[in-house]
Amino acid sequence: MFNSRMPAPEDLPSSKQLVRSTIIAAAAAAAILVTVVLPSEYAIDPTGVGSALGLTAMGEIKTQLAEEAEMDRVNATVPARPATGQEDSSLTDWIVRQFGIASAHAQEAERQDEMSVTLQPGEGAEIKLTMTKGAKANYAWTANGGKVNFDTHGDGGGENISYEKGRGVAEDSGVIEAAFDGNHGWFWRNRTSAPVTLTLKTDGAYTDIKQMM
């Protein structure tokens, strides 16, 4: 068994050295906060380093999409459905809710839809599918030559989820699998200087498709 020698007093850091090390560590942490964390997370770039490294743009995407998603959730608290010629699908949804048809049967009800909406500069729009937990729907949307910011998300029963977000995107496609019973779909915003017409095609296990107001 070895006995370690006690360090000599002259080998230990002095109080002045400890204070200096603490100050250096605090300054380094503050520098990282100002040059990396604030630009990339909150689009706050007081030094300009974040812009040079491309971090500020990342932060702008996060904050902008977060704001738009919040607006979407607020607007969705009082949904209004425009006339789409799909009253029969609303009836099916009502029957599912009122008489407790099993989720498995609702998921088996395959349907196809296509919707278009034109967004003026700065305008946003939202289209959602009514789905049960575990149901899947294929989708493909295009901005028809333009580009938009988007947030693919869902809400219902006090739950919210964001599946995917993007900025300056011309088109997207894939599969939505509902994480819970509720409305699942897309929010788009046109940040360009010209009108953009969005076309959405869907097919799968959902009981309704509606544009939220």
Side-chain angles (χ1 to χ4, degrees):
M1 185 173 181
F2 298 97
N3 294 319
S4 59
R5 296 178 57 190
M6 291 292 291
E10 58 271 16
D11 294 332
L12 297 174
S14 64
S15 298
K16 183 181 295 185
Q17 290 174 322
L18 290 174
V19 171
R20 183 174 60 184
S21 298
T22 301
I23 293 174
I24 292 174
I32 294 173
L33 174 66
V34 173
T35 60
V36 178
V37 178
L38 290 180
S40 64
E41 294 295 329
Y42 306 102
I44 299 174
D45 186 19
T47 65
V49 174
S51 296
L53 297 177
L55 300 175
T56 305
M58 184 189 307
E60 290 174 350
I61 294 174
K62 291 180 180 180
T63 55
Q64 183 175 316
L65 290 176
E67 291 171 0
E68 293 174 356
E70 181 61 26
M71 290 175 59
D72 163 44
R73 284 191 288 271
V74 172
N75 293 334
T77 57
V78 187
R81 182 184 175 217
T84 59
Q86 297 170 346
E87 287 77 8
D88 54 341
S89 63
S90 295
L91 178 60
T92 300
D93 191 31
W94 183 84
I95 293 174
V96 170
R97 293 195 308 269
Q98 296 297 321
F99 295 97
I101 294 178
S103 297
H105 293 289
Q107 292 180 21
E108 292 171 0
E110 297 282 333
R111 59 179 289 172
Q112 295 181 346
D113 292 278
E114 179 175 336
M115 294 184 69
S116 294
V117 59
T118 298
L119 302 180
Q120 299 299 322
E123 189 176 11
E126 180 181 29
I127 295 176
K128 285 187 174 178
L129 311 177
T130 302
M131 305 173 71
T132 57
K133 181 178 180 180
K136 296 181 180 181
N138 302 306
Y139 69 89
W141 62 261
T142 175
N144 296 309
K147 292 184 178 181
V148 294
N149 298 349
F150 76 92
D151 181 7
T152 306
H153 63 284
D155 61 77
E159 297 186 83
N160 293 278
I161 186 172
S162 179
Y163 297 110
E164 184 181 6
K165 297 179 180 181
R167 182 182 185 189
V169 180
E171 60 184 22
D172 189 37
S173 62
V175 179
I176 287 184
E177 180 175 352
F180 44 79
D181 293 355
N183 298 316
H184 303 264
W186 307 264
F187 177 82
W188 302 275
R189 189 173 295 279
N190 177 14
R191 290 299 187 185
T192 69
S193 58
V196 173
T197 298
L198 278 160
T199 301
L200 170 68
K201 296 181 180 180
T202 57
D203 67 82
Y206 55 94
T207 57
D208 196 11
I209 181 172
K210 51 195 172 184
Q211 181 176 347
M212 314 299 289
M213 302 296 292

